[in-house]
């Protein structure tokens, strides 16, 4: 289930985002989380199954036109189970009526792979 990020989940969100190559640096990671907390055009969601948060997906809204998926990460011990695809699918459903959903360059390859599964 997709849930909206909140401050109480900060450490979990940072841990998940740190698996992304461009978010390895702690200062960069802190800056990214701060942007999600303060910028109304940046939306971070977490994927929760049972009581565990297994993934994170971040969206940046651009000029009331595009919803750009810019971060996507799944806990390494839960990869290859379709969680990333589920997150992309749910985010697409959330935004598709008002925005053109697309992906940032860094995750374009993964997004394209998921695109076949988006209903």
């Amino acid at each position: 289930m997709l849930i909206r990020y909140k401050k109480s989940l900060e450490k979990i969100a940072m841990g998940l985002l740190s698996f992304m190559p461009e978010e390895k640096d702690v200062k960069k990671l802190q800056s990214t989380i701060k942007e999600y907390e303060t910028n109304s055009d940046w939306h971070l969601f977490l994927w929760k199954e049972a009581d565990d948060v297994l993934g994170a997906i971040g969206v940046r809204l651009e000029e009331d036109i595009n919803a750009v998926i810019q971060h996507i990460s799944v806990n390494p011990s839960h990869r290859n189970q379709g969680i990333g695809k589920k997150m992309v699918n749910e985010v697409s459903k959330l935004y598709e009526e008002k925005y053109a959903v697309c992906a940032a360059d860094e995750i374009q390859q993964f997004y394209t792979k998921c695109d076949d599964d988006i209903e």
Side-chain angles (χ1 to χ4, degrees):
M1 161 175 70
L2 206 58
I3 59 171
R4 225 176 236 291
Y5 166 81
K6 53 186 176 237
K7 186 79 172 158
S8 64
L9 299 169
E10 181 179 37
K11 286 184 176 149
I12 293 169
M14 285 180 71
L16 287 164
L17 290 177
S18 73
F19 294 125
M20 294 189 65
E22 62 273 9
E23 296 293 335
K24 293 277 184 217
D25 178 64
V26 174
K27 282 190 171 47
K28 168 82 171 90
L29 187 56
Q30 289 171 329
S31 169
T32 298
I33 288 290
K34 186 168 178 58
E35 195 70 28
Y36 277 116
E37 291 174 351
T38 59
N39 187 333
S40 62
D41 289 332
W42 282 42
H43 301 222
L44 183 62
F45 299 92
L46 301 173
W47 186 262
K48 190 173 184 179
E49 289 184 4
D51 287 332
D52 296 326
V53 176
L54 307 177
I57 187 166
V59 179
R60 179 181 72 246
L61 303 180
E62 291 182 340
E63 301 167 13
D64 288 333
I65 299 170
N66 295 322
V68 182
I69 298 173
Q70 61 183 359
H71 294 104
I72 188 161
S73 179
V74 175
N75 180 321
S77 61
H78 293 276
R79 290 188 181 158
N80 301 313
Q81 297 175 17
I83 293 169
K85 287 181 183 180
K86 287 178 190 173
M87 289 192 299
V88 168
N89 198 7
E90 288 299 312
V91 162
S92 295
K93 285 179 188 173
L94 266 178
Y95 290 98
E96 68 189 0
E97 287 186 28
K98 190 172 180 192
Y99 300 95
V101 179
C102 56
D105 292 343
E106 298 82 12
I107 63 156
Q108 184 61 51
Q109 188 176 359
F110 180 78
Y111 181 78
T112 302
K113 204 169 94 173
C114 294
D115 201 30
D116 296 335
D117 297 338
I118 295 175
E119 297 160 5

